[in-house]
């Protein structure tokens, strides 16, 4: 039986990540980077597809777990009838070496433990050849991959598993160190587990101590930012949407996608969260990743890229994996990389404007790049697209996409920098006015007076909450007020926001999914913008209450089964949490600040 999504913890070292279940089993690990093939894939299969469980031999053992303050170092304390012990799990920061270290420590009495290691390369399909090198070392090799495991405890082969049985008493410490290497090279160098633990804790303590105060929610904000840091890829500065693939948006369903890539659309949201929290170096690294990834012809712009900006992310299925709780198919790659999504242009120009507002220097060619993108957008903004939700149905004239196109030209016209060509300013302002008129004529429900999901439709869409956070119209405009009210009436499910009605068939997929947590946080920011502070606080408190015992959130939540759904942990959910918390703490909408005119915020980003 698979563990519930909320029962997992994430380990990370800014190169890859592992998911550890409450029962002590690492059920997901991709090495040597987030988007590499998994060597533990039990998360979307079963035990035979790879995992590593270290836990007491006593089946009645009870545990409690926590992250050691300000880190992604997990401490699980086990209690049995004979004693207490802890397991410390982490991924070391050891240069380019990637792996997992597990230290078992006795606290009192005596506790018998069992380690069962099942390595299966290539997403659980390749059984490796395991070799004992010496009394403390085994290696596992299949094709290009090698894992080396070192421990003072003897590891023996049992039925295609590597098993160790041992006991710890008070004061004992037993390390297991596993590292990945290329099979044609010598094995990775041995690490001192205890020194690596000290170094990892020092890294995380230094990083988390830099977080700006966000009032009463500082702890959950700091945890969310640690998650974002853990999802960043140190060599390039990219940030993956999640470390997993194919955790379902509906239990047993087929809305299962690979999120181990970097979405350029997230640029401004992530920038806002990092800047508000005081992480300017990380914000600059992310901005530079975006600049490099989108470089080139604007006609080739993608909404998502690989960790280093790779463009080819072909989607395919892994039929040998049963899927999380039977949710198939399990997918690798993401076909949305080839979609046409109009809103990305507005997000990127918004990122330029946001960077300038917060004193982040742009590259000398930034204006030239922006001009080329805007000239292309001018020729395509009237086209249908697949929209922010990356539908797999027929393209439409999505209102959110059109507003983001308006935003691109509006922000470009408002930028007031030396050397700007006034002719371009007039041109961009004229296009912005044309798009706005088009939206107001075709994207408003004549009966309800609210914005609609797409032209000619009466359906609603939670992406319209982002429309209300731009200065497309003033917050008190009747169409803004009506849109928020209509979303409350039609898309709130037990107090949480649904993206849209999947029964409409707009996305070309079978209906059914959970409620979307980022959209729910956007509603918090809408409440702040509209001055509905009590409702904002109430909703935010409910949302952060959905995080698991370690402060982690998935993409969606099912209020009926009371379960988290979708890939986990989800960067977009944590970014939305951070921005909503700063909105509440400072009385302004952090997301609105992303899209705000340069003249509507003070230097700290607070709306005037």
């Amino acid at each position: 039986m698979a563990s519930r999504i909320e029962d997992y913890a994430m380990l990370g070292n800014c190169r890859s990540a592992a998911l550890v279940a409450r029962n002590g089993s690492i059920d997901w690990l991709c090495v040597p980077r987030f988007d590499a093939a998994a060597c533990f894939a039990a998360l979307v299969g079963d035990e035979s597809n790879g995992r590593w469980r270290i836990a007491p031999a006593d089946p009645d053992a009870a545990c409690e777990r926590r992250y050691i303050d300000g880190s992604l170092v997990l401490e699980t304390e086990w209690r049995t009838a004979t004693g207490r012990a802890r397991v410390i799990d982490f991924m070391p920061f050891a240069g380019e070496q990637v792996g997992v270290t597990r230290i078992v420590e006795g606290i009192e009495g005596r506790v018998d433990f069992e380690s069962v290691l099942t390595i299966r390369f290539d997403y659980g399909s390749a059984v490796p050849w395991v070799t004992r090198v010496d009394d403390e070392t085994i290696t596992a090799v299949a094709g290009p991959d090698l894992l080396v495991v070192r421990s003072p405890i003897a590891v023996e082969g049992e039925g295609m598993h590597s098993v160790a049985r041992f006991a710890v008493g008070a004061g004992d410490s037993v390390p297991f160190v596993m590292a990945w290497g290329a099979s044609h090279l010598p094995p990775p160098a041995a690490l001192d587990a205890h020194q690596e633990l000290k170094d990892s804790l020092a890294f995380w303590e230094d990083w988390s101590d830099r977080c700006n105060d966000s009032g009463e929610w500082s702890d959950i904000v700091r945890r969310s930012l640690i998650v974002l840091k853990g999802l960043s890829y140190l060599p390039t500065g990219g940030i993956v949407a999640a470390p997993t693939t194919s955790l379902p948006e509906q239990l047993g369903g087929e809305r299962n996608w690979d999120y181990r890539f970097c979405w350029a659309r997230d640029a401004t949201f992530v920038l806002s969260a990092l800047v508000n929290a005081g992480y300017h170096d990380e914000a600059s690294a992310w901005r530079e990743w975006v600049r490099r990834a989108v470089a080139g012809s604007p006609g080739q712009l993608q909404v998502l890229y690989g960790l280093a900006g790779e463009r080819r992310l072909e989607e395919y299925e892994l039929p040998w994996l049963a899927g999380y709780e039977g949710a198939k198919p399990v997918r690798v790659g993401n076909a949305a990389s080839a979609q046409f999504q109009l809103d990305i242009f507005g997000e990127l120009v918004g990122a330029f404007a946001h960077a300038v507002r917060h004193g982040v220097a742009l590259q000398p060619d930034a204006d030239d790049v922006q001009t080329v993108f805007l000239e292309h957008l001018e020729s395509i903004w009237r086209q249908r697209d697949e929209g922010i939700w990356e539908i797999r149905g027929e393209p439409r004239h999505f209102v959110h996409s059109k507003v983001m196109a308006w935003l691109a030209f509006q922000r470009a016209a408002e930028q007031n920098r030396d050397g700007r060509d006034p002719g371009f300013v007039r041109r961009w302002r004229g296009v912005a006015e044309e798009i706005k008129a088009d939206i107001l004529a075709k994207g408003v429900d004549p009966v309800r007076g609210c914005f609609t999901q797409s032209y000619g439709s009466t359906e609603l869409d939670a992406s319209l909450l982002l429309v209300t956070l731009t200065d497309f119209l003033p917050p008190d405009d009747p169409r803004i007020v009506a849109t928020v009210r209509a979303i409350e009436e039609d898309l709130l499910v037990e107090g949480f926001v649904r993206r849209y009605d999947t029964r409409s068939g707009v996305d070309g997929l079978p209906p059914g999914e959970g409620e979307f947590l980022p959209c729910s946080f956007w509603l918090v920011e809408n409440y702040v913008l509209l001055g509905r502070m009590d409702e904002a606080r109430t909703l935010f408190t409910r949302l952060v209450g959905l995080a698991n015992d370690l402060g982690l959130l998935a993409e969606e939540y099912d209020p009926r089964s009371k379960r988290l759904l979708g890939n986990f942990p989800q960067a977009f959910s944590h970014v939305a949490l951070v921005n909503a918390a700063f909105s509440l703490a400072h009385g302004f909408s952090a997301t609105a600040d992303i899209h705000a005119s340069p003249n509507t915020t003070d230097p700290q980003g607070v709306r005037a």
Side-chain angles (χ1 to χ4, degrees), residues 446-495:
V447 176
R448 302 178 76 175
C450 62
F451 289 109
T452 59
Q453 182 182 60
S454 61
Y455 288 1
S457 169
T458 58
E459 296 287 337
L460 287 169
D461 194 303
S463 65
L464 300 171
L465 292 170
L466 292 175
V467 172
T468 67
L469 293 176
T470 69
D471 59 352
F472 185 76
L473 293 172
D476 58 354
D477 185 280
R479 288 160 291 194
I480 296 292
V481 176
T483 299
V484 175
R485 182 173 60 248
I487 287 173
E488 290 175 311
E489 292 171 351
D490 290 11
L491 296 182
L492 274 185
V493 178
E494 297 189 27

Short mmCIF file of all heavy atoms in Angstrom, two decimals, residues 446-495:
data_model
loop_
_atom_site.label_atom_id
_atom_site.label_comp_id
_atom_site.label_asym_id
_atom_site.label_seq_id
_atom_site.Cartn_x
_atom_site.Cartn_y
_atom_site.Cartn_z
N PRO A 446 -22.11 39.37 -20.25
CA PRO A 446 -23.06 40.49 -20.27
C PRO A 446 -24.13 40.38 -19.19
O PRO A 446 -24.76 41.39 -18.85
CB PRO A 446 -23.67 40.41 -21.67
CG PRO A 446 -23.49 38.99 -22.08
CD PRO A 446 -22.21 38.54 -21.46
N VAL A 447 -24.35 39.19 -18.66
CA VAL A 447 -25.38 39.01 -17.64
C VAL A 447 -24.82 39.22 -16.24
O VAL A 447 -25.34 40.01 -15.44
CB VAL A 447 -26.02 37.61 -17.75
CG1 VAL A 447 -27.03 37.39 -16.62
CG2 VAL A 447 -26.69 37.44 -19.11
N ARG A 448 -23.72 38.55 -15.94
CA ARG A 448 -23.15 38.62 -14.59
C ARG A 448 -22.19 39.78 -14.42
O ARG A 448 -21.84 40.14 -13.30
CB ARG A 448 -22.44 37.30 -14.24
CG ARG A 448 -23.36 36.09 -14.32
CD ARG A 448 -22.63 34.80 -14.02
NE ARG A 448 -22.37 34.64 -12.59
CZ ARG A 448 -21.82 33.55 -12.06
NH1 ARG A 448 -21.46 32.54 -12.85
NH2 ARG A 448 -21.63 33.46 -10.76
N GLY A 449 -21.71 40.33 -15.52
CA GLY A 449 -20.80 41.46 -15.44
C GLY A 449 -19.40 41.11 -15.00
O GLY A 449 -18.63 41.98 -14.59
N CYS A 450 -19.03 39.82 -15.07
CA CYS A 450 -17.69 39.38 -14.65
C CYS A 450 -16.89 38.91 -15.86
O CYS A 450 -17.44 38.65 -16.94
CB CYS A 450 -17.82 38.24 -13.65
SG CYS A 450 -18.62 36.75 -14.32
N PHE A 451 -15.59 38.80 -15.69
CA PHE A 451 -14.76 38.24 -16.75
C PHE A 451 -15.07 36.75 -16.90
O PHE A 451 -15.48 36.07 -15.94
CB PHE A 451 -13.28 38.44 -16.44
CG PHE A 451 -12.83 39.87 -16.56
CD1 PHE A 451 -12.49 40.61 -15.43
CD2 PHE A 451 -12.75 40.48 -17.80
CE1 PHE A 451 -12.10 41.93 -15.53
CE2 PHE A 451 -12.35 41.81 -17.91
CZ PHE A 451 -12.02 42.53 -16.78
N THR A 452 -14.85 36.24 -18.09
CA THR A 452 -15.11 34.83 -18.38
C THR A 452 -13.81 34.10 -18.69
O THR A 452 -12.77 34.72 -18.93
CB THR A 452 -16.07 34.69 -19.57
OG1 THR A 452 -15.48 35.32 -20.72
CG2 THR A 452 -17.41 35.33 -19.26
N GLN A 453 -13.89 32.78 -18.72
CA GLN A 453 -12.70 31.98 -19.00
C GLN A 453 -12.13 32.30 -20.38
O GLN A 453 -10.92 32.43 -20.55
CB GLN A 453 -13.04 30.50 -18.90
CG GLN A 453 -11.86 29.57 -19.13
CD GLN A 453 -12.26 28.11 -19.07
OE1 GLN A 453 -13.10 27.66 -19.85
NE2 GLN A 453 -11.68 27.38 -18.13
N SER A 454 -13.01 32.42 -21.36
CA SER A 454 -12.56 32.69 -22.73
C SER A 454 -13.64 33.47 -23.47
O SER A 454 -14.79 33.57 -23.00
CB SER A 454 -12.25 31.38 -23.47
OG SER A 454 -13.40 30.56 -23.57
N TYR A 455 -13.29 34.03 -24.59
CA TYR A 455 -14.24 34.80 -25.39
C TYR A 455 -15.43 33.91 -25.78
O TYR A 455 -15.25 32.77 -26.22
CB TYR A 455 -13.58 35.32 -26.65
CG TYR A 455 -12.59 36.45 -26.46
CD1 TYR A 455 -12.30 36.95 -25.20
CD2 TYR A 455 -11.94 37.02 -27.56
CE1 TYR A 455 -11.39 37.99 -25.03
CE2 TYR A 455 -11.04 38.05 -27.42
CZ TYR A 455 -10.75 38.53 -26.14
OH TYR A 455 -9.86 39.56 -25.99
N GLY A 456 -16.63 34.45 -25.61
CA GLY A 456 -17.83 33.74 -26.01
C GLY A 456 -18.30 32.68 -25.05
O GLY A 456 -19.31 32.02 -25.29
N SER A 457 -17.58 32.50 -23.95
CA SER A 457 -17.94 31.50 -22.96
C SER A 457 -18.58 32.16 -21.75
O SER A 457 -18.38 33.34 -21.50
CB SER A 457 -16.69 30.73 -22.51
OG SER A 457 -16.95 29.93 -21.38
N THR A 458 -19.38 31.38 -21.00
CA THR A 458 -19.89 31.86 -19.72
C THR A 458 -19.20 31.15 -18.56
O THR A 458 -19.53 31.38 -17.40
CB THR A 458 -21.41 31.63 -19.62
OG1 THR A 458 -21.69 30.23 -19.78
CG2 THR A 458 -22.16 32.42 -20.68
N GLU A 459 -18.21 30.27 -18.88
CA GLU A 459 -17.49 29.55 -17.84
C GLU A 459 -16.54 30.49 -17.10
O GLU A 459 -16.08 31.51 -17.65
CB GLU A 459 -16.68 28.40 -18.44
CG GLU A 459 -17.52 27.32 -19.11
CD GLU A 459 -18.25 26.46 -18.11
OE1 GLU A 459 -17.80 26.37 -16.94
OE2 GLU A 459 -19.28 25.86 -18.48
N LEU A 460 -16.25 30.12 -15.86
CA LEU A 460 -15.29 30.88 -15.05
C LEU A 460 -13.97 30.14 -14.97
O LEU A 460 -13.89 28.94 -15.27
CB LEU A 460 -15.86 31.11 -13.64
CG LEU A 460 -16.98 32.13 -13.53
CD1 LEU A 460 -17.61 32.05 -12.16
CD2 LEU A 460 -16.45 33.53 -13.80
N ASP A 461 -12.94 30.84 -14.53
CA ASP A 461 -11.60 30.28 -14.43
C ASP A 461 -10.87 31.02 -13.32
O ASP A 461 -10.90 32.25 -13.26
CB ASP A 461 -10.87 30.46 -15.77
CG ASP A 461 -9.61 29.62 -15.87
OD1 ASP A 461 -8.74 29.77 -14.98
OD2 ASP A 461 -9.49 28.83 -16.81
N ALA A 462 -10.21 30.26 -12.44
CA ALA A 462 -9.50 30.89 -11.32
C ALA A 462 -8.32 31.72 -11.77
O ALA A 462 -7.83 32.56 -11.00
CB ALA A 462 -9.06 29.83 -10.32
N SER A 463 -7.84 31.55 -13.00
CA SER A 463 -6.77 32.42 -13.49
C SER A 463 -7.23 33.87 -13.56
O SER A 463 -6.40 34.79 -13.59
CB SER A 463 -6.28 31.96 -14.87
OG SER A 463 -7.30 32.09 -15.85
N LEU A 464 -8.54 34.09 -13.56
CA LEU A 464 -9.07 35.45 -13.55
C LEU A 464 -8.73 36.17 -12.26
O LEU A 464 -8.77 37.41 -12.20
CB LEU A 464 -10.58 35.43 -13.77
CG LEU A 464 -11.05 34.81 -15.10
CD1 LEU A 464 -12.56 34.64 -15.10
CD2 LEU A 464 -10.58 35.65 -16.27
N LEU A 465 -8.38 35.43 -11.21
CA LEU A 465 -7.91 36.07 -9.98
C LEU A 465 -6.60 36.81 -10.20
O LEU A 465 -6.30 37.78 -9.50
CB LEU A 465 -7.75 35.03 -8.87
CG LEU A 465 -9.05 34.40 -8.34
CD1 LEU A 465 -8.73 33.21 -7.44
CD2 LEU A 465 -9.89 35.44 -7.60
N LEU A 466 -5.81 36.35 -11.17
CA LEU A 466 -4.59 37.09 -11.52
C LEU A 466 -4.91 38.33 -12.34
O LEU A 466 -4.22 39.34 -12.23
CB LEU A 466 -3.63 36.18 -12.29
CG LEU A 466 -3.03 35.02 -11.50
CD1 LEU A 466 -2.20 34.12 -12.40
CD2 LEU A 466 -2.19 35.53 -10.33
N VAL A 467 -5.96 38.25 -13.14
CA VAL A 467 -6.38 39.43 -13.89
C VAL A 467 -6.73 40.56 -12.93
O VAL A 467 -6.37 41.72 -13.13
CB VAL A 467 -7.60 39.10 -14.79
CG1 VAL A 467 -8.17 40.37 -15.42
CG2 VAL A 467 -7.19 38.09 -15.86
N THR A 468 -7.43 40.23 -11.86
CA THR A 468 -7.83 41.25 -10.89
C THR A 468 -6.64 41.82 -10.14
O THR A 468 -6.75 42.90 -9.54
CB THR A 468 -8.85 40.69 -9.89
OG1 THR A 468 -8.21 39.71 -9.07
CG2 THR A 468 -10.03 40.05 -10.59
N LEU A 469 -5.50 41.11 -10.16
CA LEU A 469 -4.32 41.59 -9.44
C LEU A 469 -3.41 42.45 -10.31
O LEU A 469 -2.39 42.95 -9.83
CB LEU A 469 -3.53 40.41 -8.87
CG LEU A 469 -4.25 39.63 -7.75
CD1 LEU A 469 -3.42 38.42 -7.34
CD2 LEU A 469 -4.54 40.51 -6.56
N THR A 470 -3.72 42.58 -11.57
CA THR A 470 -3.03 43.58 -12.39
C THR A 470 -3.77 44.90 -12.20
O THR A 470 -4.82 44.95 -11.55
CB THR A 470 -3.07 43.19 -13.89
OG1 THR A 470 -4.41 43.32 -14.35
CG2 THR A 470 -2.60 41.76 -14.10
N ASP A 471 -3.25 45.98 -12.78
CA ASP A 471 -4.03 47.23 -12.74
C ASP A 471 -4.79 47.41 -14.05
O ASP A 471 -4.97 48.50 -14.55
CB ASP A 471 -3.14 48.43 -12.43
CG ASP A 471 -2.03 48.63 -13.45
OD1 ASP A 471 -1.85 47.75 -14.32
OD2 ASP A 471 -1.34 49.66 -13.38
N PHE A 472 -5.23 46.27 -14.61
CA PHE A 472 -6.07 46.30 -15.81
C PHE A 472 -7.30 47.18 -15.58
O PHE A 472 -7.70 47.96 -16.44
CB PHE A 472 -6.47 44.87 -16.17
CG PHE A 472 -7.23 44.74 -17.46
CD1 PHE A 472 -6.58 44.84 -18.67
CD2 PHE A 472 -8.60 44.50 -17.45
CE1 PHE A 472 -7.28 44.72 -19.87
CE2 PHE A 472 -9.30 44.38 -18.64
CZ PHE A 472 -8.64 44.49 -19.85
N LEU A 473 -7.89 47.02 -14.41
CA LEU A 473 -8.99 47.88 -13.95
C LEU A 473 -8.76 48.16 -12.47
O LEU A 473 -8.11 47.37 -11.78
CB LEU A 473 -10.34 47.20 -14.14
CG LEU A 473 -10.82 46.95 -15.58
CD1 LEU A 473 -12.09 46.09 -15.57
CD2 LEU A 473 -11.07 48.26 -16.32
N PRO A 474 -9.29 49.26 -11.94
CA PRO A 474 -9.14 49.53 -10.50
C PRO A 474 -9.81 48.44 -9.68
O PRO A 474 -10.78 47.80 -10.12
CB PRO A 474 -9.86 50.88 -10.33
CG PRO A 474 -9.93 51.47 -11.69
CD PRO A 474 -10.01 50.33 -12.65
N PRO A 475 -9.33 48.20 -8.45
CA PRO A 475 -9.90 47.14 -7.61
C PRO A 475 -11.40 47.30 -7.36
O PRO A 475 -12.10 46.30 -7.18
CB PRO A 475 -9.10 47.24 -6.32
CG PRO A 475 -7.83 47.91 -6.70
CD PRO A 475 -8.17 48.84 -7.82
N ASP A 476 -11.89 48.54 -7.34
CA ASP A 476 -13.31 48.75 -7.05
C ASP A 476 -14.17 48.78 -8.31
O ASP A 476 -15.38 49.05 -8.24
CB ASP A 476 -13.52 50.03 -6.25
CG ASP A 476 -12.99 51.27 -6.97
OD1 ASP A 476 -12.36 51.12 -8.04
OD2 ASP A 476 -13.18 52.39 -6.43
N ASP A 477 -13.58 48.50 -9.47
CA ASP A 477 -14.38 48.44 -10.69
C ASP A 477 -15.42 47.33 -10.55
O ASP A 477 -15.10 46.23 -10.09
CB ASP A 477 -13.47 48.17 -11.90
CG ASP A 477 -14.24 48.22 -13.21
OD1 ASP A 477 -14.90 47.22 -13.55
OD2 ASP A 477 -14.17 49.26 -13.89
N PRO A 478 -16.66 47.57 -10.97
CA PRO A 478 -17.71 46.55 -10.82
C PRO A 478 -17.36 45.21 -11.46
O PRO A 478 -17.76 44.15 -10.97
CB PRO A 478 -18.92 47.20 -11.49
CG PRO A 478 -18.67 48.67 -11.39
CD PRO A 478 -17.19 48.85 -11.49
N ARG A 479 -16.60 45.23 -12.57
CA ARG A 479 -16.25 43.98 -13.23
C ARG A 479 -15.23 43.17 -12.42
O ARG A 479 -15.25 41.93 -12.44
CB ARG A 479 -15.71 44.28 -14.63
CG ARG A 479 -16.80 44.73 -15.60
CD ARG A 479 -16.26 45.46 -16.81
NE ARG A 479 -15.70 46.76 -16.44
CZ ARG A 479 -15.40 47.72 -17.32
NH1 ARG A 479 -15.61 47.52 -18.61
NH2 ARG A 479 -14.90 48.88 -16.91
N ILE A 480 -14.35 43.86 -11.68
CA ILE A 480 -13.41 43.18 -10.79
C ILE A 480 -14.17 42.57 -9.62
O ILE A 480 -14.00 41.39 -9.28
CB ILE A 480 -12.33 44.15 -10.29
CG1 ILE A 480 -11.47 44.65 -11.46
CG2 ILE A 480 -11.47 43.50 -9.21
CD1 ILE A 480 -10.61 43.60 -12.10
N VAL A 481 -15.00 43.38 -8.99
CA VAL A 481 -15.78 42.90 -7.84
C VAL A 481 -16.67 41.74 -8.25
O VAL A 481 -16.77 40.72 -7.54
CB VAL A 481 -16.62 44.06 -7.25
CG1 VAL A 481 -17.51 43.54 -6.13
CG2 VAL A 481 -15.71 45.17 -6.75
N ALA A 482 -17.29 41.84 -9.42
CA ALA A 482 -18.18 40.78 -9.89
C ALA A 482 -17.41 39.49 -10.19
O ALA A 482 -17.92 38.38 -9.98
CB ALA A 482 -18.93 41.24 -11.14
N THR A 483 -16.17 39.61 -10.68
CA THR A 483 -15.37 38.43 -10.99
C THR A 483 -15.02 37.66 -9.73
O THR A 483 -15.15 36.42 -9.67
CB THR A 483 -14.10 38.83 -11.75
OG1 THR A 483 -14.46 39.45 -13.00
CG2 THR A 483 -13.23 37.62 -12.03
N VAL A 484 -14.57 38.37 -8.70
CA VAL A 484 -14.24 37.70 -7.43
C VAL A 484 -15.50 37.05 -6.86
O VAL A 484 -15.47 35.90 -6.40
CB VAL A 484 -13.63 38.70 -6.44
CG1 VAL A 484 -13.40 38.03 -5.08
CG2 VAL A 484 -12.31 39.24 -6.99
N ARG A 485 -16.62 37.76 -6.90
CA ARG A 485 -17.86 37.21 -6.37
C ARG A 485 -18.29 35.97 -7.15
O ARG A 485 -18.71 34.95 -6.56
CB ARG A 485 -18.97 38.26 -6.41
CG ARG A 485 -20.29 37.76 -5.82
CD ARG A 485 -21.33 38.86 -5.72
NE ARG A 485 -21.64 39.44 -7.02
CZ ARG A 485 -21.34 40.68 -7.39
NH1 ARG A 485 -20.69 41.49 -6.55
NH2 ARG A 485 -21.67 41.13 -8.58
N ALA A 486 -18.19 36.00 -8.48
CA ALA A 486 -18.59 34.86 -9.30
C ALA A 486 -17.70 33.64 -9.02
O ALA A 486 -18.19 32.50 -8.98
CB ALA A 486 -18.53 35.23 -10.77
N ILE A 487 -16.40 33.87 -8.83
CA ILE A 487 -15.50 32.75 -8.51
C ILE A 487 -15.86 32.17 -7.16
O ILE A 487 -15.85 30.95 -6.96
CB ILE A 487 -14.03 33.23 -8.57
CG1 ILE A 487 -13.62 33.44 -10.04
CG2 ILE A 487 -13.10 32.24 -7.88
CD1 ILE A 487 -12.27 34.07 -10.22
N GLU A 488 -16.20 33.03 -6.20
CA GLU A 488 -16.64 32.53 -4.90
C GLU A 488 -17.90 31.68 -5.05
O GLU A 488 -18.05 30.65 -4.38
CB GLU A 488 -16.93 33.70 -3.96
CG GLU A 488 -15.69 34.45 -3.51
CD GLU A 488 -16.03 35.68 -2.68
OE1 GLU A 488 -16.89 36.48 -3.11
OE2 GLU A 488 -15.42 35.85 -1.60
N GLU A 489 -18.79 32.07 -5.92
CA GLU A 489 -20.06 31.37 -6.08
C GLU A 489 -19.91 30.06 -6.85
O GLU A 489 -20.56 29.05 -6.52
CB GLU A 489 -21.07 32.27 -6.80
CG GLU A 489 -21.51 33.48 -5.98
CD GLU A 489 -22.34 34.46 -6.80
OE1 GLU A 489 -22.44 34.28 -8.04
OE2 GLU A 489 -22.89 35.41 -6.21
N ASP A 490 -19.04 30.04 -7.87
CA ASP A 490 -18.99 28.90 -8.79
C ASP A 490 -17.79 27.97 -8.60
O ASP A 490 -17.88 26.79 -8.95
CB ASP A 490 -18.98 29.40 -10.24
CG ASP A 490 -20.31 29.99 -10.67
OD1 ASP A 490 -21.17 30.21 -9.79
OD2 ASP A 490 -20.48 30.25 -11.87
N LEU A 491 -16.68 28.49 -8.10
CA LEU A 491 -15.46 27.68 -8.06
C LEU A 491 -14.96 27.38 -6.66
O LEU A 491 -13.94 26.69 -6.52
CB LEU A 491 -14.34 28.38 -8.86
CG LEU A 491 -14.58 28.54 -10.37
CD1 LEU A 491 -13.37 29.19 -11.04
CD2 LEU A 491 -14.87 27.19 -11.02
N LEU A 492 -15.64 27.86 -5.63
CA LEU A 492 -15.25 27.49 -4.27
C LEU A 492 -15.87 26.14 -3.90
O LEU A 492 -17.09 25.95 -4.04
CB LEU A 492 -15.70 28.54 -3.26
CG LEU A 492 -14.78 29.74 -3.01
CD1 LEU A 492 -15.34 30.61 -1.90
CD2 LEU A 492 -13.36 29.32 -2.68
N VAL A 493 -15.04 25.21 -3.46
CA VAL A 493 -15.50 23.90 -3.02
C VAL A 493 -15.04 23.72 -1.58
O VAL A 493 -13.84 23.59 -1.31
CB VAL A 493 -14.93 22.78 -3.91
CG1 VAL A 493 -15.40 21.42 -3.41
CG2 VAL A 493 -15.34 22.98 -5.37
N GLU A 494 -16.01 23.75 -0.68
CA GLU A 494 -15.72 23.66 0.76
C GLU A 494 -14.65 24.68 1.15
O GLU A 494 -13.78 24.40 1.97
CB GLU A 494 -15.31 22.24 1.14
CG GLU A 494 -16.41 21.22 0.91
CD GLU A 494 -16.10 19.86 1.49
OE1 GLU A 494 -15.33 19.80 2.47
OE2 GLU A 494 -16.61 18.87 0.96
N GLY A 495 -14.72 25.86 0.54
CA GLY A 495 -13.83 26.95 0.91
C GLY A 495 -12.52 27.02 0.17
O GLY A 495 -11.71 27.90 0.42
#
